[in-house]
Amino acid sequence: MEEGRSSVHGSWASRWTFILAATGSAVGLGNIWKFPYIAGENGGGAFVLVYLLCVVLVGVPVMMAEVMLGRMGRASPVNAMKKITRQVGLHGFWNGIGWLGVVGGLLILSYYAVIAGWALYYVVEMASGRLQGATPAEAAGTFAALLADPGRLVFLQSAFLGLTLLVVVAGVSRGLGTAVRVMMPLLFALLVVLLGFAARQGDWQAGWDFLFSFRADHLTGAGVLTALGHSFFTLSLGMGAIMAYGAYMPERASITGTVLTIAVLDTLVALMAGMAIFPIVFASPGMSPDAGPSLLFQTLPVVFGNMPGGLLFGSLFFFLVTIAAWSSSISLLEPGVAWMIESWRVNRVVANLVLGALAWLLGLGTVFSFNWWSGATLAGGTFFDWIDFFTSSLLLPLTGLFIAVFVGWLMRPGTVFAAMGDDPRPLLRAWHWVLAWICPVAIFAIFAVGLYNKFH
Ligand code: PHE
C-alpha cells in the first residue's frame, strides 16, 4: 500500500459508505434521546433555530477540518496528528488532539454502552407485553427496578459492548462498512414507519407546535449554550471519531459536499425523532413533554402501552434507538483500535478485547452510579454525572478548539487548501475564515460560560 494514499486498516468501499458511516456515528442517543427533550425544554422553534445555526457555523467547519486531518494523516487520530505535526513542522504538543480523541472515545463508550443497554432492555420489555396498559407509576417502577439491579445492567452493558466489538473486530470495510450499509437504511425506514404511526395515532399538530413554534421567550442564555454543546456531541466532533473515519475516505471525494450531507442527515434524523415522539406524548392525557432525560424510558412505554399496536411499535422504536447507538459506538471504539494496531503491532482482535475490557471496566462506574454508588457523590454529581460532564463539556469543546486553532491558525493556508482537494476556492476561503475566527470564539464562549455555570 502506498504511503499516504490509504491507511493500513483499509478504506471505505465508496464515498457513500463514508457518508453512511459518519452519519451512523453522528446519529445516536444524542438525536433520539437528547435532542427532543432539550428542544422541548428550551423553547422549541427558537432553540431549533439556534441549534441549526450552531451546526452550520461551528459544527460543519470543525467537521470539515477533522475529516481533512484524518485524510491527510491516513492513520488513527494519534498517528495522523504525529505525522501532520512533523510534516508541517509544529510542536508535538498538538499530537494531543489525537490523544484527547482516543481517550475521549473510550470514556464516552464506557457510559454510552450502559445507556444503550437500557434501550436493548426495552426492546424485549415492550415485546413481552408486560407494559400493556401500564400506568405512569408502573412504567416508572419498571425503570426504577432496572436501574436498581446492577446485575441486569452489567449484563445489558456487556451485550451491547459485545455487539460493538463484533463489528469493529471485522475491520473497516468488512465490519464497519457492511454494518452501516445495513443499519442506516434500516434506521431511516424505521423512523419513517414510526412517523407514520405518530401521524395516525398521535396528536400531530400539538407535536409540531411544540417543536417548531417560535417561542423566543423560552430561550435562555443557557439554552443557547446547550444548543452549541449539543451540536458538537450530535455530530461526533472533538472526539477523533470523524478523524479516524476520514482516514479511510477516498482521496478525491469532496470534503465540503460530504460533510454537508452528513450534517443535513443528522439534523433530519433529530427532527424526525422529535416528530415521532411528541405527537405520541401529546396524545396521552397527563403525559408531560418536558420529562427530561427520562422521557424516552419512562414516558414512552406508558404511551405505547396504551395505544392500539403500541407494543409492536414501541418495541420497534427501542430497536431503532439500539441501532442508532450501535452505529455510534463502533465509531467510539475504532480510533483506539486503529491506534493500538499501528503502535503496538497487535492484531484487531487483541486491540478490540483490550479496549473493550477497559470500556467495560470503566462502565461499571456508570452502572453503580444508579444503585450501589448513587449516594457517593462529589459536588452533587455521581460517577456517571462526572464522566458525562468531563467528556461532553470539557473534552469535546477543548479538542474542537484545538482543531480550529491548529487548522485555522497554525497550518499554512496553502497546505490546508491543498489537503482539502478540488472544492471551489472561494468556498474554502470562507470555510477557513469561519474556522479561524468564528469557531474559536464560539467554542471559548461555551467553555467559559459552561464552567462558570457549573461551579457557581
Ligand atoms: N453523535 C453521537 C450521538 O449523537 C454520540 C457520539 C459522540 C458518537 C462522539 C461518537 C463520538 O449520540
Side-chain angles (χ1 to χ4, degrees):
M1 228 167 258
E2 213 179 320
E3 166 83 13
R5 295 253 164 239
S6 60
S7 104
V8 295
H9 312 289
S11 311
W12 304 117
S14 66
R15 186 175 87 99
W16 262 102
T17 314
F18 170 73
I19 291 179
L20 289 179
T23 307
S25 168
V27 172
L29 296 173
N31 304 60
I32 305 180
W33 164 66
K34 207 169 178 195
F35 173 76
Y37 83 78
I38 56 177
E41 286 175 347
N42 288 288
F47 175 89
V48 172
L49 196 71
V50 174
Y51 159 77
L52 290 179
L53 275 176
C54 295
V55 166
V56 173
L57 287 179
V58 183
V60 168
V62 170
M63 192 183 231
M64 287 169 66
E66 269 203 38
V67 174
M68 182 212 81
L69 289 174
R71 186 165 75 173
M72 204 176 157
R74 287 286 183 217
S76 68
V78 173
N79 290 319
M81 286 310 297
K82 277 189 185 155
K83 212 185 269 174
I84 295 168
T85 49
R86 218 180 303 125
Q87 208 171 314
V88 301
L90 285 168
H91 194 270
F93 164 81
W94 295 96
N95 299 342
I97 292 176
W99 283 113
L100 287 176
V102 167
V103 172
L106 267 187
L107 294 180
I108 297 182
L109 180 61
S110 81
Y111 70 80
Y112 209 81
V114 176
I115 314 268
W118 302 351
L120 208 54
Y121 174 76
Y122 274 93
V123 175
V124 179
E125 194 62 18
M126 295 254 42
S128 75
R130 277 189 292 271
L131 284 159
Q132 176 78 58
T135 62
E138 282 163 356
T142 303
F143 191 52
L146 171 66
L147 294 193
D149 185 347
R152 203 180 307 171
L153 290 179
V154 170
F155 172 78
L156 292 162
Q157 169 220 20
S158 313
F160 184 80
L161 269 178
L163 289 174
T164 305
L165 291 194
L166 212 63
V167 173
V168 180
V169 158
V172 174
S173 180
R174 228 163 26 102
L176 290 87
T178 311
V180 297
R181 274 201 302 274
V182 177
M183 286 193 234
M184 298 318 288
L186 185 64
L187 189 141
F188 272 97
L190 279 176
L191 251 187
V192 171
V193 169
L194 287 163
L195 269 178
F197 178 75
R200 282 172 63 95
Q201 303 283 343
D203 187 341
W204 187 262
Q205 191 58 44
W208 181 274
D209 286 347
F210 184 66
L211 206 50
F212 295 111
S213 66
F214 193 88
R215 286 163 300 171
D217 52 317
H218 282 66
L219 190 65
T220 60
V224 174
L225 288 176
T226 307
L228 258 167
H230 187 63
S231 70
F232 257 84
F233 187 81
T234 191
L235 290 173
S236 305
L237 299 178
M239 228 288 316
I242 293 300
M243 209 189 286
Y245 276 14
Y248 313 141
M249 190 185 180
E251 190 69 38
R252 304 211 55 84
S254 155
I255 290 180
T256 313
T258 324
V259 165
L260 282 177
T261 312
I262 296 161
V264 167
L265 287 174
D266 182 70
T267 308
L268 203 65
V269 171
L271 297 177
M272 285 167 78
M275 279 312 291
I277 291 172
F278 285 119
I280 297 179
V281 171
F282 283 116
S284 315
M287 297 284 13
S288 158
D290 54 7
S294 67
L295 184 71
L296 198 66
F297 298 106
Q298 269 186 50
T299 310
L300 282 185
V302 180
V303 176
F304 280 125
N306 289 283
M307 282 183 159
L311 290 187
L312 170 67
F313 284 99
S315 190
L316 273 182
F317 180 86
F318 285 105
F319 182 58
L320 168 84
V321 178
T322 306
I323 296 215
W326 192 6
S327 61
S328 295
S329 65
I330 56 181
S331 77
L332 290 164
L333 187 57
E334 175 63 23
V337 165
W339 162 72
M340 210 172 203
I341 295 171
E342 291 160 7
S343 298
W344 291 21
R345 308 211 169 278
V346 294
N347 68 31
R348 215 164 236 282
V349 180
V350 174
N352 265 282
L353 288 177
V354 172
L355 294 178
L358 263 176
W360 183 84
L361 263 180
L362 256 175
L364 294 182
T366 293
V367 166
F368 299 147
S369 295
F370 295 99
N371 34 70
W372 293 341
W373 296 354
S374 60
T377 55
L378 183 67
T382 59
F383 180 92
F384 165 66
D385 295 329
W386 277 102
I387 200 166
D388 179 29
F389 169 74
F390 180 71
T391 49
S392 312
S393 304
L394 292 184
L395 275 187
L396 300 190
L398 190 66
T399 314
L401 182 64
F402 284 160
I403 289 172
V405 170
F406 184 79
V407 176
W409 291 97
L410 299 177
M411 288 176 76
R412 266 199 313 273
T415 316
V416 172
F417 290 143
M420 287 299 288
D422 304 329
D423 289 336
R425 216 19 108 82
L427 190 73
L428 290 182
R429 274 192 215 290
W431 160 71
H432 194 258
W433 187 85
V434 172
L435 189 71
W437 291 99
I438 307 273
C439 297
V441 173
I443 296 170
F444 194 78
I446 322 178
F447 210 52
V449 180
L451 284 181
Y452 183 85
N453 270 358
K454 180 85 181 171
F455 296 109
H456 255 76

